[in-house]
């Protein structure tokens, strides 16, 4: 019942039309931990990965220390992919705060910026419900994938559904890079709930 | 042994994960609750109590079933979305179907008193084969998750218990 209540609250908080695969990804302008401004549309022509992030969430910790987010951003960035983490946590909530996020960036050697979305408006525009919750935007600016980082809902690649690990984000990037249709465009994200203000 | 294979297969074992942490030493035994399982077979935290319950007298060399019981405390409930699993360690004399045993199949779930839509206790069967002789020890780490309305916790609880086979 509590899950239902939480899910209902998330649904009420989200806009009527969250970002849909095949449609233009909602543009946004956010600042990172150093105050640098990032605008999604500035990256048109490149594949962009958005990773909803909360350094206090144990699933995020697992994914960044033992799971499918270890070194993935660095590897993909070398191939020209733009990787942006987005923290939609409100002030006072788990994982909020510049120093908290800075510590995680350092501890996990994250090469990508962490963008702050304290109002939660960007998270809600995308329909981000979990951390990690992954979105892949194609070179055409359209959303190509949304969902989980992989099919192992323990966050550490130890429990792949069906017995074979599938890294959905890497697979989507590979498909986009090869000009193929993305085979899996949507999955159910797992992890903590995004710590929106309301 | 074929029976054991079937029993273990029913539990849905999967291939071992490559990045899981090594098992850790067993914690001190915890306190009071009834029924009391064998010493050293419980671990607890603010949000949970987890117990390993062994059958009283497994037959030497034959298949048997233990239970792993996770109880959420306070405002927490057991996270159904998290893949509960048992990872045996080197201290086990019992044998398992793999290096990681999934615990979802056949679990008995008890709803929370105030929130019956959530599970506050999950009792999961853990199939094993007793050794041909000597003590049967089941030792390893149980992975599970509990959540309250604000946050989820991922827990790795080391458990170890032993009984004599007949």
């Amino acid at each position: 019942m509590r899950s239902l209540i939480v899910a209902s609250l998330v649904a009420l908080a989200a806009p009527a039309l969250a970002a849909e695969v095949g449609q233009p990804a909602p543009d946004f302008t956010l600042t990172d931990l150093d105050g640098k401004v990032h605008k999604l549309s500035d990256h048109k022509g490149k594949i962009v990965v958005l990773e909803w992030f909360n350094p206090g969430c144990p699933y995020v910790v697992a994914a960044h220390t033992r799971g499918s987010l270890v070194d993935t951003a660095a590897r993909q960035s070398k191939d020209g992919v733009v990787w942006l983490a987005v923290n939609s946590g409100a002030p006072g909530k788990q994982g909020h705060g510049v120093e908290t996020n800075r510590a995680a960036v350092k501890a996990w050697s994250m090469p990508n910026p962490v963008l702050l979305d304290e109002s939660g408006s960007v998270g809600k525009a995308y329909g981000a419900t979990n951390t990690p919750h992954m979105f892949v935007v194609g070179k055409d600016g359209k959303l190509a994938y949304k969902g989980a980082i992989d099919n192992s809902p323990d966050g550490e690649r130890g429990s792949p559904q069906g017995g074979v690990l599938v890294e959905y984000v890497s697979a989507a990037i590979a498909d986009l890079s090869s000009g193929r249709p993305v085979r899996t465009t949507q999955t159910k994200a797992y992890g903590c709930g995004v710590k929106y203000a309301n | 042994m074929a029976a054991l294979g079937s029993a273990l297969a029913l539990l849905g074992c999967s291939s071992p994960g490559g990045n899981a942490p090594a098992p850790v030493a067993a914690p001190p035994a915890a306190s009071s609750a009834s029924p009391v399982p064998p010493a050293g077979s419980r671990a607890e935290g603010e949000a949970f109590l987890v117990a390993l319950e062994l059958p009283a007298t497994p037959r030497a060399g034959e298949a048997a079933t233990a239970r792993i019981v996770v109880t959420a405390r306070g405002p927490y409930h057991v996270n159904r979305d998290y893949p509960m699993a048992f990872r045996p360690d080197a201290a086990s004399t019992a044998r398992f179907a793999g290096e990681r045993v999934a615990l979802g199949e056949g679990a008995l779930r008890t709803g929370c008193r105030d929130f019956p839509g959530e599970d506050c206790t999950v009792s999961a069967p853990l199939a094993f084969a007793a050794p041909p002789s000597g003590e049967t020890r089941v030792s390893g780490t149980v992975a599970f998750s509990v959540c309250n309305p604000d946050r989820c916790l991922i827990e790795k609880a080391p458990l170890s218990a032993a009984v004599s086979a007949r």
Side-chain angles (χ1 to χ4, degrees), chain B residues 6-108:
Chain B
S6 300
L8 296 179
L10 283 174
L11 285 179
C13 301
S14 63
S15 59
N19 294 318
V24 294
S31 56
S32 62
S34 181
V36 179
S41 66
R42 300 173 67 187
E44 61 186 318
E46 187 179 327
F48 69 89
L49 172 70
V50 58
L52 166 63
E53 299 176 354
L54 296 186
T57 52
R59 289 183 178 276
E62 295 193 3
T65 302
R67 296 200 80 84
I68 290 180
V69 183
V70 178
T71 303
R73 285 178 156 167
Y76 286 87
H77 62 269
V78 181
N79 183 355
R80 289 179 184 168
D81 292 333
Y82 186 88
M84 276 180 60
F86 179 76
R87 189 177 293 275
D89 62 28
S92 281
T93 59
R95 288 174 295 126
F96 300 88
E99 293 180 31
R100 175 189 167 280
V101 183
L103 293 175
E105 288 280 332
L108 304 174

